[in-house]
Amino acid sequence: MAKKRPQTKAKRPQPAGGAGAAGADGAIPVVGGREPCPCGSGRRYKACHGRAAAHAVTELVQRPFEGLPGECDWVALRELVPAATVELTLKNGLPEGVPSVTLATVLPMAWPALRRDDGSVLIGLQNDTASGDISRDLADTLQRALEAEPGTPVQGRRAPADGPRLQELLEADAPFEPVVHSGFEFWVPDAENATAEVTASLERANAAAIPTVRLSGVDAAYWCETPEKNHLRWVMPHAEERLLDALARLHAQGRSSLGEGTRLVGSFRAHGLTVPVWDLPSEVSAEDVEKPAAEFAERLAAALAVEEPLTAEERRARGGLTNRQVTLS
C-alpha cells in the first residue's frame, strides 16, 4: 500500500509575507501568476511570492496526524489496514442535516468523500493527496463534503495552502476508536439498490482485502493474515532513534519475539512514526498474540528507560533492524 509522496522536507506551510506585503497583517494576497506581485517588487506574482506559495503547497509535513487523538491508528488506517471506519467528532458539532461523519480507509471508486442520501458524510483516508500535508487535504475534503448535496461524491482537488487542518476541525479530546471490518459492506447501507458500478467495486475490494484484526490489549497493533504467514504490525508513538535502540537491546537479548516461531523482522517508517513488524506462524491468530504483545509492551517500556550506550552486540542488532526498514511515506 506504499504510495509516492512529495519528498521535500520542511515545516508546515505558512502564508507568504514580507515587509512590502499588501495586507495589514503582512500576508501577500494570492493573484494570477502573470499579474504584478502585490508586494510591490515589480515582478510577476509567479516569479516572486507566488513561487514561495507554490512551494508551501508541496512541502511534506512529516507527521500530518500529530496532535490528533489516536495518531498511531491514523497512520495504521492510512497505510496498513484494508477496511476500517471511525466515527469523527467535530469541534463545533455536526451541521444541520449531517447526522454523522465517518472516516473510512477506502470508499467506492476511490472517492475522496461521499455525502450519502441521508446526509451523513464518509471521508476516505487512503486516497492520493495533492499536497504534502495530508491533514490539510483531508480537512478541505471534509469541509466540502459537509456542504455537498446529499447523494453525491466529493472529488479531489488541491487544498488552499492557508486552509484549515484536521487538527483545527476535529475535537482533540474525543475518542478515536477504529472498527476493523472483514470487507467493505459498510459502503452500501442498502445493497439491493446499489448501482452496478458500486457493486462491482465492492466485489473487487473485498477480493483484495487482507484479513486484519486490531489487538485489544495494546494500542495500534494490527494482526493480518497472508497465504504463507501471518504478521503483526504495530504503530508506535516513540521517537524513532530511541525506539530502535530499545528494540535493539531486546533483540540482542533474545527477547524481541512474541512467542515460539515468531520473529521481529524489521519496521516501516510511516508519517513520522515507526512500525515494527513481526512474522508469525500461519496458525497464530490475533487472539493468540494478545498476551505476548502485552508482555512485550512491558519489556519495551523497560528498554526505553535505559540510558546507557548500546553495547557492540546491541549495535549489531540495531544495524540489522535499520537495514530492514522501509519508508512508506
Side-chain angles (χ1 to χ4, degrees):
M1 297 175 71
K3 307 175 182 68
K4 292 182 178 179
R5 301 276 189 256
Q7 293 301 307
T8 303
K9 295 183 178 180
K11 298 179 181 179
R12 293 175 182 172
Q14 299 292 331
D25 60 355
I28 302 297
V30 176
V31 298
R34 292 180 172 275
E35 296 181 38
C37 186
C39 76
S41 66
R43 292 182 292 172
R44 291 179 177 178
Y45 177 71
K46 69 177 182 179
C48 191
H49 280 86
R51 181 180 299 168
H55 178 67
V57 173
T58 60
E59 288 178 325
L60 179 62
V61 175
Q62 296 293 332
R63 288 179 63 179
F65 307 119
E66 184 178 14
L68 290 172
E71 179 188 6
C72 293
D73 282 306
W74 277 91
V75 172
L77 268 55
R78 168 74 179 180
E79 299 293 345
L80 306 174
V81 181
T85 56
V86 186
E87 295 298 314
L88 299 180
T89 303
L90 306 187
K91 277 188 176 180
N92 298 320
L94 294 169
E96 184 178 356
V98 180
S100 63
V101 174
T102 302
L103 180 74
T105 47
V106 180
L107 295 181
M109 277 74 75
W111 288 327
L114 171 66
R115 181 89 185 272
R116 282 178 162 163
D117 291 335
D118 66 355
S120 61
V121 168
L122 289 176
I123 304 292
L125 181 57
Q126 292 183 10
N127 297 308
D128 289 332
T129 55
S131 80
D133 187 353
I134 298 169
S135 178
R136 197 178 306 280
D137 288 331
L138 288 172
D140 179 68
T141 298
L142 171 58
Q143 288 186 313
R144 291 186 292 124
L146 293 172
E147 299 174 354
E149 290 294 325
T152 60
V154 174
Q155 303 301 327
R157 74 171 189 183
R158 173 171 288 180
D162 60 349
R165 307 177 75 241
L166 286 175
Q167 288 81 347
E168 300 167 57
L169 301 183
L170 301 183
E171 182 58 59
D173 297 328
F176 189 83
E177 300 174 347
V179 177
V180 178
H181 304 277
S182 59
F184 295 87
E185 281 72 21
F186 64 86
W187 284 355
V188 189
D190 184 5
E192 294 183 359
N193 294 322
T195 66
E197 188 178 22
V198 169
T199 299
S201 183
L202 175 62
E203 291 175 352
R204 289 193 300 271
N206 281 344
I210 296 173
T212 301
V213 176
R214 183 176 185 265
L215 299 193
S216 59
V218 294
D219 292 334
Y222 291 81
W223 171 95
C224 68
E225 179 183 20
T226 60
E228 295 185 358
K229 64 183 71 173
N230 299 338
H231 306 279
L232 185 73
R233 301 179 290 189
W234 192 341
V235 186
M236 296 188 172
H238 316 292
E240 180 180 9
E241 297 302 314
R242 193 168 186 84
L243 174 58
L244 290 174
D245 282 352
L247 292 173
R249 295 183 198 278
L250 295 176
H251 204 58
Q253 297 167 10
R255 304 174 67 216
S256 64
S257 76
L258 299 175
E260 185 178 355
T262 71
R263 187 167 67 99
L264 175 64
V265 293
S267 63
F268 297 116
R269 182 189 292 116
H271 307 292
L273 299 182
T274 303
V275 189
V277 179
W278 285 262
D279 279 353
L280 313 172
S282 58
E283 65 271 15
V284 173
S285 67
E287 184 177 358
D288 293 334
V289 83
E290 285 278 8
K291 183 178 178 181
E295 293 171 346
F296 177 84
E298 295 179 359
R299 298 197 299 274
L300 179 64
L304 285 166
V306 176
E307 298 291 344
E308 288 78 10
L310 297 179
T311 66
E313 185 178 0
E314 290 168 346
R315 288 197 300 272
R316 286 193 294 271
R318 193 185 195 281
L321 291 173
T322 54
N323 286 340
R324 297 190 296 272
Q325 191 174 51
V326 177
T327 299
L328 297 185
S329 60

